[in-house]
Amino acid sequence: MEFDPAQYGNAFRPLLEIDRCRELGPGHAVEAARAALEAMSIETAFAARRVADRSMAELCLGAVWLLHDFLDQSHHISQGVETPTGSYWHGIMHRREPDYGNAKYWFRRVGGHPIHAELHRAARELAGHMPGDAAAALQAQASWDAFGFVDLCQEVASGGSQAGALCRRIQQREWELLFDFCFQRAVGQ
């Protein structure tokens, strides 16, 4: 699936039409997006659609805050949604913070997630275009390993791996898949 910002409506589109390949760490809040993010609500973001699952719609808002590197705002939203998908966003935010132990705690609460199969395929494909031990290890995985990915991100952050570009691309695909998952359920598809 190609990620197309236009399919998510006029409110989300301009906020999604950025470089979604974010830093593995906290990054720098995109202040130019703050006003649009603060003005966004479930009602405005989903104005042209009926919201079937309000918690998934909330997670879409939190995801966009995270995309623009506003970790605190994203955290506030994800910690208020006590579902596996809320825990997933919570884990991603802590992985980026970086608080790797806390990220793993939240990924344990996720368990298996419906996006994991597609994320595993995407990670293997991305790794197939990269050299190095990390890429080879990702290609050898039988299924998505969220804990292994946290470890790899930590290794990159400590300078122990040259796989930073690969990890950022995988993180981007993870974000896109999870956002789409939330959006589709928010609108009842």
Side-chain angles (χ1 to χ4, degrees):
M1 170 194 101
E2 183 71 25
F3 188 85
D4 178 12
Q7 74 180 351
Y8 303 105
N10 293 333
F12 281 117
R13 183 178 185 169
L15 293 166
L16 301 177
E17 289 179 331
I18 66 166
D19 179 5
R20 291 178 303 281
C21 189
R22 311 309 293 166
E23 293 299 319
L24 294 178
H28 302 283
V30 181
E31 289 298 330
R34 184 184 289 274
L37 289 165
E38 288 176 342
M40 187 175 273
S41 67
I42 291 174
E43 291 69 32
T44 61
F46 293 90
R49 301 177 188 229
R50 183 183 70 80
V51 173
D53 186 330
R54 194 163 180 85
S55 68
M56 287 294 183
E58 288 175 29
L59 291 173
C60 288
L61 300 182
V64 178
W65 279 103
L66 182 63
L67 180 63
H68 288 271
D69 298 332
F70 289 94
L71 274 60
D72 289 341
Q73 291 84 344
S74 174
H75 183 246
H76 177 76
I77 293 169
S78 65
Q79 74 179 356
V81 180
E82 296 181 14
T83 66
T85 303
S87 294
Y88 203 140
W89 285 114
H90 204 156
I92 292 172
M93 189 285 308
H94 282 299
R95 188 181 66 215
R96 288 196 56 204
E97 199 170 26
D99 183 347
Y100 303 112
N102 207 356
K104 286 182 176 182
Y105 168 83
W106 288 101
F107 285 126
R108 270 192 231 54
R109 294 185 63 162
V110 173
H113 195 276
I115 73 159
H116 281 171
E118 179 60 29
L119 181 56
H120 176 246
R121 282 190 289 278
R124 286 178 57 121
E125 182 180 323
L126 289 164
H129 301 290
M130 301 283 214
D133 293 341
L138 283 165
Q139 284 187 294
Q141 289 179 351
S143 61
W144 178 248
D145 179 1
F147 306 105
F149 190 61
V150 170
D151 291 340
L152 182 56
C153 291
Q154 185 173 9
E155 192 176 327
V156 167
S158 70
S161 174
Q162 299 299 314
L166 174 59
C167 289
R168 286 189 300 278
R169 288 287 175 211
I170 292 170
Q171 177 179 259
Q172 174 185 347
R173 193 67 187 125
E174 177 185 46
W175 187 97
E176 292 169 351
L177 288 167
L178 194 56
F179 179 84
D180 184 70
F181 176 86
C182 292
F183 186 89
Q184 298 307 323
R185 274 132 193 93
V187 298
Q189 295 180 356

